[in-house]
Amino acid sequence: MLKHDPVLPPEFIYPIDDWRWVERRPSSEFTAQSETTFSTANGYLGMRGGFQEGRPAFLHGTFVNGFYETWPIPYGEKAYGFAKTGQTMVNVPDGKIIRLYVDDEPFTVDRATMDNYERALDFKKGTYERELIWETPGGKRVKLRTVRLVSLTDRHVAALRFEVTVLNAKAPVVIVSEMVDHSAEHASAHHEHAGVSPPKMTEEEDPRLAKSFKHRVLVPDHAEMHDKRALMGFSTRSSGMTLGCGMDHLVEYDGEVVVSTIPPDGVAQVAFRYTAEPGKTFTLTKYLTYHTSGTERASELRARSGRTLDRVMAHGFDALLADQCRFMDDFWSRADIQIDGPAHPRVQQCLRWNLFQLLQATGRVENAGVPAKGLTGQAYEGHYFWDMEVYVMPFLIYSSPEVARNLLKFRHGMLGKARERARELNQKGALFPWRTISGDEASAYYAAGTAQYHINAAIAYALKKYVEVTGDKEFLCEYGAEILVETARLWYDLGFFSDRQGGKFCIHSVTGPDEYTAVVNNNAYTNLMARENLWYAAQAVEMLRKDFPQDYVALAHATKLEPGEAADWQRAADLMFVPFDERTGINPQDDDFLDREVWDIKNTPKDKFPLLLHYHPLVIYRYQVIKQADIVLAMFMLGNEFTREQKKRNFDYYDPLTTGDSSLSACIQSIVAAEIGYDDVAIKYLRFAVLMDLADVGGNVRDGVHIASIGGTWMAIVYGLAGMRDYDGVISFDPKKFVDKLKFPLTIRGQKLIVDIDHGNVTYTLAQGAGLAIMHRDEELKLTEGKGVTKQV
Amino acid sequence: MLKHDPVLPPEFIYPIDDWRWVERRPSSEFTAQSETTFSTANGYLGMRGGFQEGRPAFLHGTFVNGFYETWPIPYGEKAYGFAKTGQTMVNVPDGKIIRLYVDDEPFTVDRATMDNYERALDFKKGTYERELIWETPGGKRVKLRTVRLVSLTDRHVAALRFEVTVLNAKAPVVIVSEMVDHSAEHASAHHEHAGVSPPKMTEEEDPRLAKSFKHRVLVPDHAEMHDKRALMGFSTRSSGMTLGCGMDHLVEYDGEVVVSTIPPDGVAQVAFRYTAEPGKTFTLTKYLTYHTSGTERASELRARSGRTLDRVMAHGFDALLADQCRFMDDFWSRADIQIDGPAHPRVQQCLRWNLFQLLQATGRVENAGVPAKGLTGQAYEGHYFWDMEVYVMPFLIYSSPEVARNLLKFRHGMLGKARERARELNQKGALFPWRTISGDEASAYYAAGTAQYHINAAIAYALKKYVEVTGDKEFLCEYGAEILVETARLWYDLGFFSDRQGGKFCIHSVTGPDEYTAVVNNNAYTNLMARENLWYAAQAVEMLRKDFPQDYVALAHATKLEPGEAADWQRAADLMFVPFDERTGINPQDDDFLDREVWDIKNTPKDKFPLLLHYHPLVIYRYQVIKQADIVLAMFMLGNEFTREQKKRNFDYYDPLTTGDSSLSACIQSIVAAEIGYDDVAIKYLRFAVLMDLADVGGNVRDGVHIASIGGTWMAIVYGLAGMRDYDGVISFDPKKFVDKLKFPLTIRGQKLIVDIDHGNVTYTLAQGAGLAIMHRDEELKLTEGKGVTKQV
């Protein structure tokens, strides 16, 4: 099912530019969204794209990945094993603020008269830039130019360059640079300022938004101010994490500048006062740094912040910018997709924005995960979900395998807590948290949280793909196998061989990816993915035993692996029950799915979507109605376990039941539609995926980007349009005839493949590497470096 | 399944006495429990049986039925339609406190050296009494005697008589009488004082306990003190209810008594000081009154309290006591059960205690319901559940039909809110709250709360029984029919005619009485009870249309009844789907029940019960394991819809799966076991039911009595041992051969029937009434007043 077509903001405001996301007119209509869409981040540090003047603003947001506050999860009625501790990514002190006063008049975009306004997120340079000419109420014309970057080469650093030129007169100018703690604030407080109409339902009722803290989260440790530098230390009130941050400034101006400071107490200020001469540019460069820790003292991090500022100031802004461009060039060489059509006239621009967001969410993620909103907002509390493994990991595996490895290693680091959680849930093995930052389960509604055991299989699946595509068996031996053993154990303990199902292995009381049914028996997706997990675990253990006997011994020691366990997993997998309905020929989503009433989507008023905000869960669970791909997702991820006919029957059945209330839906529907020859449907869904955020399909982009959908968009291109499949590490392509031009690189086992579809032909070129075998449909192609092989689409 | 046999406290502490519950030695082991078991209450006002000295104490508790505080229900993740407002019965100011000091030494039972100690709850007099001789550290022997009563004739009044005699010396004596606000306190604060070991799990994690308020709930309005009288007014902080209460004192002593007071500020005190002469008795009579309201001002209630005290003091304590005795005589004439065996040697005493508790929970309930713990504790927040209709109502219908009528009228008064709640749940008709005081749904865990739609049918069922047994068609016309229309509408809208079940009417995503499975499809109990509800609604509407056309017009107007609705209900009921499994020949509890794994109860350690405190709901839901009767309950309530063979098969299947973790289980298992000839099982379960509280089977009697089990105990005697059935108002008996002596009265259509089983014979006597037809097994007996008919058992 497809709701109204997504509509981008108008071109006279947001013009086409293949390498930038550009705003040509300030528009209060898009203030909140643009804070998200203009975000800058590096996977460790993120800043929403708000105005440096501090207003208008929806939510001042600066985030450090993995830096969270905890709080006791409240329950009206508690039960045994409910998750106890909530975690919320903290809004760290906002360092982007630079206020400007000319003739004592403050500049803000919502009140100023302006010419030549433009702001842009530049995908090539990795910067956010703004230019404009402000005509003050007194007739002074003031040229402003800002460049903002969150460094990809130096992940603790952000920098802003701010240039002011009064063009036509002398004028007194004051520039106030701030670093200010917003940690207790919440988006809703800003609605008025942002010119945003209040949401239809109270925000408290929207389960997707972050907790609003009633108190200041960051407890100041000690702060110091020397010259134009402020250094601050904080600890969180409850989680006990520490933060050091600081700002420093370089002024370039040929004339007298008076500097004054306000010592930091929640707000650190450095003010610059000078008398502007016509045409003479005042340049302020502001450096910011953030360091966080779960163990070190705030004072140490504060000192470290000082050292970082010393270093980066010596390096200089131009050098930072040059580093950033080099990093971006390298990224695009591995990740750029050139496309012409088919989903939308602006597909190239929008797609690059998507890819850039993927980079921003993951580029320098180290010992942390990928939050559902990247580092662009606090919705979903900044938690890591299965999105990371299922929606983001494929892109990373094929473009930045070292980042993929980091994420899997991060999951491995959670194993201890996942084992504890399995014990709390009265199970063996390990159960990864449905949502978390710290590794502790933080889902407060288990039916759409803890019950999603399938996250275990998602991690195993991503691990398998990583190992197969990169060839990194060392990782499998050192980290992966332990994950496989513990996840397989969980499945084996969770399910049972059912007499009533002829001895088949059944898994009960779980929730699949589709949260519009919950706590069901034999969710097909879960069973299929659990099977894959069990198989792969058995296979990996056997492989280690044979090929890496020393690693096997270490694994057996670490996991107390018993002889026969792998055989048990193999047997459970072989006997896995997969729901199938003889009458309709489809795979029911779960044991009871077909017994439910069909929801009448066509006659449900549009303003009742997403259903979860307008119907009690009990009502939704009672119907055949789908929030997101579930069987369809399984048919993509485990496509080699379904015939084409089966895929068609299932898609025909489920697609009309799918509301797409989840942003994770469109990309997957697109891929499977493309595979089964539903070209128009594939294109339509692709349009939804590509435009999800920029057209604000869900109406909530102001709360952050949808990283899963963005990762899914990459998949919809590569797996959908180019028809790539990588079952068991065999890379094959089946490009779709309706694709005119599409070109993209893939990193496979350390080699670089270029796929270039051009009006009926597809050329596979091994741009770098010793040799690679791939499949074009059923035909094997053995590629050698530098030589392209062209085939008919 | 039966856990360890229940064990009463030892006889040397709690001796046998058929008309009293007596404690002969003070025992710290039973301090907390005895506060519950010695409670005095009248259905409106309740006082826990704590020591008047204020310590040792587990929980000082005084409760007014229907007087509650509200609080926003917290959710870690909220969803649409979740209940918003919690309600908790307030602990109102404690007026029972009378402290005694001799030679400035305080008296408390836990430290005193005592002779001739006895305290007793007297079932005949309706009083709580205590006598003892205290030997002070200085060798003074002090005789103490107290009588406490919560008046059944004057429901706003309680009174205490307190007599002190220093037997062997002159001594300075101080007596301090108090009325003190404990509303922000919580049982756990008292553990230390009560000598109770702290509970194994933190109380916060036990979902059955009441919310503990962190602040003072009662906001003082104004208080006044004149002479020995204190009057106080309060309003609740959040629910906006008001309370007026007061105490006054009468001193009888032949000598000088100095009176001093402390004006009330949370604690009102009146102190009496005199010099005791040996052998001369000092008598203090303390009168208490409580008035509550949802609309009136606290000052008005305070004034009303003054007027009540004026009146009751003029009436005097002896008159109050005499009234109480008369009320009790009348009660026992309608409700007493004389029994000899079979369940336990002390069955007579324990059974009378149970019946007395039923009276205390319901005697003067007016415009309120029956809380799950009566007025003996705040557990379950003082909420009204379906217990009221299913477990308590039968006793009331057959002994105090006017109270039954009040309760049904109270439910009718909730219809407005129940309609609103149905709308919130996206349904037509009315949905009664699973738990409530105010009429608003207060269940914070919908899977074991709101999802229990079956409460609608429980109310309809109780209504039907009330109308059939009393013959009160007027009530049906005036109130009942409207309940039936709205509940039937809910069912008709909730379910659907399922193609996959051959057009049968199915009801999905509901939770039955057994909370160890939740949110299931076609819960057999729910479907059967919904069918009864639909049938009875259709029948009632048709009856009104034919026999009471004016009432029909009023009903159609009030409910906007459409022609054809009743026919729809009839059709849905006729086509109701009832799960049946061909292979086993049993009725599965729900569509999926038999697909689940069987929980290994035998090998589950005893300390893991109740399961709900040791296993995550997801784990419990995954198994065939039962908290309480569900199919078995249906086989009792709708026994005429099952064959005896079917009952046997079902019982054989389900009984081994039943943990009895719910106190609602044993009584029902006993009744059905008795019916199908499992005499030993019936007797065992009856023992559990009768001793549930006095033997503290669940280990939580300190938190309050189990009113449902107590009502169920009456049912286990009358429906179980005497084999009474009343399907469609036809009263039949099938006394069990294993019953030696059992005699009890029943009120049927305003007439009084005595059933007397005596060693193989049963005599049915119409003690009062114009004539009554009953069945002895298949034989109809036409009884006329005063003439007994004897049959062989």
Side-chain angles (χ1 to χ4, degrees), chain B residues 54 117 205 464 536 554 587 619 651 662:
Chain B
Y117 174 94
E205 284 171 347
K464 178 169 187 281
Y536 189 49
N587 295 105
V619 178
F651 190 90
S662 166

Side-chain angles (χ1 to χ4, degrees), chain A residues 566-745:
Chain A
D568 286 342
W569 307 335
Q570 179 76 38
R571 190 165 57 95
D574 291 345
L575 287 170
M576 184 65 71
F577 177 74
V578 180
F580 181 77
D581 182 64
E582 293 289 347
R583 209 176 58 174
T584 55
I586 65 152
N587 295 106
Q589 192 169 293
D590 58 70
D591 277 355
D592 293 340
F593 191 80
L594 295 183
D595 293 336
R596 300 178 207 278
E597 258 186 296
V598 174
W599 188 289
D600 185 357
I601 295 188
K602 279 208 180 110
N603 291 314
T604 304
K606 277 187 183 164
D607 61 4
K608 292 288 190 187
F609 293 93
L611 302 181
L612 69 97
L613 296 188
H614 301 92
Y615 297 89
H616 193 286
L618 277 171
V619 178
I620 296 173
Y621 297 167
R622 203 168 277 136
Y623 287 87
Q624 294 189 41
V625 64
I626 294 178
K627 188 177 169 201
Q628 69 181 68
D630 196 307
I631 288 285
V632 176
L633 179 59
M635 296 197 301
F636 162 55
M637 294 176 72
L638 305 168
N640 52 341
E641 301 176 16
F642 295 82
T643 64
R644 189 185 158 91
E645 273 319 296
Q646 190 57 38
K647 285 178 190 173
K648 247 186 162 142
R649 274 198 302 271
N650 282 335
F651 190 90
D652 288 348
Y653 190 83
Y654 287 106
D655 192 51
L657 302 176
T658 306
T659 59
D661 283 351
S662 165
S663 65
L664 281 63
S665 195
C667 48
I668 305 299
Q669 301 294 103
S670 179
I671 295 169
V672 175
E675 178 176 351
I676 59 179
Y678 291 1
D679 299 352
D680 292 347
V681 179
I683 292 167
K684 264 197 192 172
Y685 273 124
L686 176 62
R687 180 153 62 245
F688 269 83
V690 174
L691 303 187
M692 187 65 71
D693 285 331
L694 293 174
D696 199 6
V697 170
N700 59 357
V701 160
R702 61 182 184 202
D703 301 318
V705 303
H706 296 80
I707 282 296
S709 170
I710 290 174
T713 300
W714 180 87
M715 293 199 285
I717 302 287
V718 173
Y719 289 98
L721 301 191
M724 181 174 86
R725 291 297 181 274
D726 47 14
Y727 307 129
D728 299 321
V730 177
I731 313 291
S732 66
F733 295 90
D734 178 14
K736 302 308 160 202
K737 291 202 197 317
F738 60 83
V739 181
D740 285 341
K741 280 182 78 64
L742 173 66
K743 185 178 175 185
F744 58 87

Side-chain angles (χ1 to χ4, degrees), chain A residues 193 239 273 282 309 315 423 524 541 571 721-722:
Chain A
H193 302 299
S239 67
R273 183 156 51 81
F282 175 99
L309 287 174
H315 195 54
R423 287 328 149 263
V541 164
R571 190 165 57 95
L721 301 191

Side-chain angles (χ1 to χ4, degrees), chain A residues 162-166 169-173 175 250-258 272-285:
Chain A
F162 179 61
E163 297 169 3
V164 195
T165 317
V166 183
K170 267 180 90 149
V173 175
I175 294 160
L250 181 76
V251 173
E252 291 164 82
Y253 186 65
D254 180 16
E256 197 198 348
V257 178
V258 181
F272 305 90
R273 183 156 51 81
Y274 72 101
T275 305
E277 297 290 331
K280 212 155 122 185
T281 297
F282 175 99
T283 303
L284 177 70
T285 310

